[in-house]
Amino acid sequence: GHIVRNWKVRWFVLLQDKLLYYKIEGGKKEPSPKGRILLDGCTITCPCLEYENRPLLIKLKTKTNTDYFLECCSREERDSWALDITGAIHAGHPVQVQELHRMKNSFKLLENISLHHIVERMCDSSTGIKLTRNSGQGNRYKETFTGSALVDWLISNSFAVSRFEAITLASMLMEENFIKPVGARSTEATRYSDPSEQFLDDSTALYMFAESSKKSISPKEELHFNISELSGMIVKQGFLVKQGHKRKNWKVRRFVLRADPAFLHYYDPTKEENRPVGGFSLRGCLVSALEDNGVPAGVKGNVQGNLFKIITKNDIHYYIQASSKAERAQWIEAIKPLT
């Protein structure tokens, strides 16, 4: 409410240029609206974390600087309303609407992302993630946060634009031992072979900062590369997901394709230094797309298609996942002439 700051149930109707809300009497909405929110010039914030005990909020600010806080019944309902309201706000710009729908399930992490920076922001006493006491499996845990709270925080702080991206980032934080699961719900999920299913966007799954995130991690033995192989002209670069050789887990890597000499290097986006963590010559390599029906031989986990394979002349197999069939085709077309 605007006068008395209480919360009331209202029936909302979204039109092309306005959001109407009705009073409910006897289980039915009144014939005329109680009020309206004009969407022209509106800005939307979702998730809105201004109320600590209300994680399912959408905030609308009109062009006259009036704030409306709308609480939904579930995260799915909140995100669905937010997407449709955003579409209505940009109704006069169909290209923007198409881009919003594309972004909803896109796979595009921020360039030069640093997990260390994200953890520092998470630990900030004023703007960081809110830590609470929780109990699970007979134990009481101090300073925990839920999986869905972390996803909301990552989106609201512009580290991700969709829940899919935020889950990918949270999975990377867990994989690199910045956060750890506590309690039965989140711990049970880590038994899945597919890393994308190990972090839960769930209000009952508990996580906390790992001890290692508060200490300086000793650097791994650095890989040394001949400077000549890093001197080639960059033909293509971007984020892909690669299966590891030892643990067979999947990690996001930034791939850089160079020509003359022809090399494919991959970088860890969680590290601030611009140094490859792996790479190989493309001379004599074979590259091919893998079928999307079922899990191909040599691939571990429940992988959602768009895979391709590179076999080096030393018979080392690299399994890589793109975000779409089109992106997979673009990478294969760029690599083939260099083999």
Side-chain angles (χ1 to χ4, degrees), residues 278-297:
F280 51 90
S281 170
L282 290 173
R283 295 300 179 196
C285 283
L286 298 173
V287 58
S288 60
L290 297 178
E291 295 294 333
D292 288 343
N293 52 343
V295 179

Side-chain angles (χ1 to χ4, degrees), residues 35-305:
R36 67 192 66 211
I37 305 170
L38 298 178
L39 298 177
D40 180 41
C42 251
T43 58
I44 182 170
T45 303
C46 179
C48 171
L49 305 182
E50 291 189 27
Y51 288 83
E52 186 176 339
N53 62 337
R54 295 183 182 273
L56 302 179
L57 288 184
I58 296 170
K59 177 182 176 181
L60 290 174
K61 180 185 282 290
T62 67
K63 65 179 179 182
T64 58
N65 289 325
T66 303
D67 290 340
Y68 290 88
F69 294 92
L70 316 177
E71 184 174 32
C72 301
C73 298
S74 67
R75 280 179 168 78
E76 292 78 15
E77 185 181 69
R78 179 196 65 186
D79 294 345
S80 176
W81 270 99
L83 188 71
D84 290 336
I85 292 171
T86 305
I89 291 172
H90 297 290
H93 308 279
V95 174
Q96 285 182 270
V97 177
Q98 291 175 8
E99 180 67 10
L100 286 165
H101 283 274
R102 188 194 66 77
M103 285 168 58
K104 186 181 179 185
N105 293 310
S106 69
F107 182 85
K108 184 181 180 184
L109 291 174
L110 295 172
E111 295 282 348
N112 303 319
I113 196 164
S114 166
L115 293 190
H116 292 275
H117 174 60
I118 293 176
V119 173
E120 285 178 5
R121 289 279 301 276
M122 287 175 66
C123 293
D124 188 279
S125 58
S126 58
T127 60
I129 192 165
K130 303 298 181 186
L131 302 177
T132 58
R133 290 174 176 267
N134 283 285
S135 59
Q137 219 171 13
N139 298 317
R140 288 193 65 81
Y141 302 102
K142 296 180 180 179
E143 300 186 330
T144 62
F145 47 87
T146 66
S148 54
L150 177 54
V151 170
D152 284 350
W153 185 89
L154 289 168
I155 296 172
S156 67
N157 284 271
S158 302
F159 289 113
V161 297
S162 68
R163 302 194 79 78
F164 178 74
E165 288 183 17
I167 291 169
T168 303
L169 267 182
S171 301
M172 292 165 64
L173 288 169
M174 192 166 66
E175 178 70 24
E176 297 296 329
N177 202 32
F178 287 106
I179 64 173
K180 65 180 181 180
V182 291
R185 182 85 174 88
S186 55
T187 305
E188 177 70 22
T190 60
R191 298 177 185 176
Y192 286 106
S193 57
D194 185 353
S196 65
E197 299 177 3
Q198 292 181 8
F199 179 86
L200 299 178
D201 178 9
D202 193 298
S203 59
T204 63
L206 299 180
Y207 298 88
M208 65 189 303
F209 289 111
E211 286 301 315
S212 61
S213 66
K214 302 174 183 176
K215 304 173 184 177
S216 59
I217 304 170
S218 58
K220 296 179 181 178
E221 183 181 350
E222 293 184 347
L223 294 171
H224 295 280
F225 295 90
N226 189 321
I227 195 167
S228 65
E229 67 183 71
L230 297 172
S231 64
M233 180 183 68
I234 295 178
V235 176
K236 185 175 177 61
Q237 59 181 317
F239 288 100
L240 297 166
V241 185
K242 172 186 165 295
Q243 180 177 267
H245 288 292
K246 295 179 181 178
R247 294 181 58 190
K248 302 298 182 184
N249 54 354
W250 293 84
K251 291 186 178 181
V252 176
R253 293 290 180 251
R254 180 171 65 89
F255 280 79
V256 177
L257 177 63
R258 292 182 173 89
D260 195 27
F263 275 84
L264 183 62
H265 292 100
Y266 47 94
Y267 298 73
D268 186 342
T270 68
K271 310 300 181 188
E272 294 185 4
E273 67 272 11
N274 192 31
R275 180 187 297 274
V277 295
F280 51 90
S281 170
L282 290 173
R283 295 300 179 196
C285 283
L286 298 173
V287 58
S288 60
L290 297 178
E291 295 294 333
D292 288 343
N293 52 343
V295 179
V299 173
K300 302 293 183 181
N302 181 24
V303 182
Q304 302 298 317

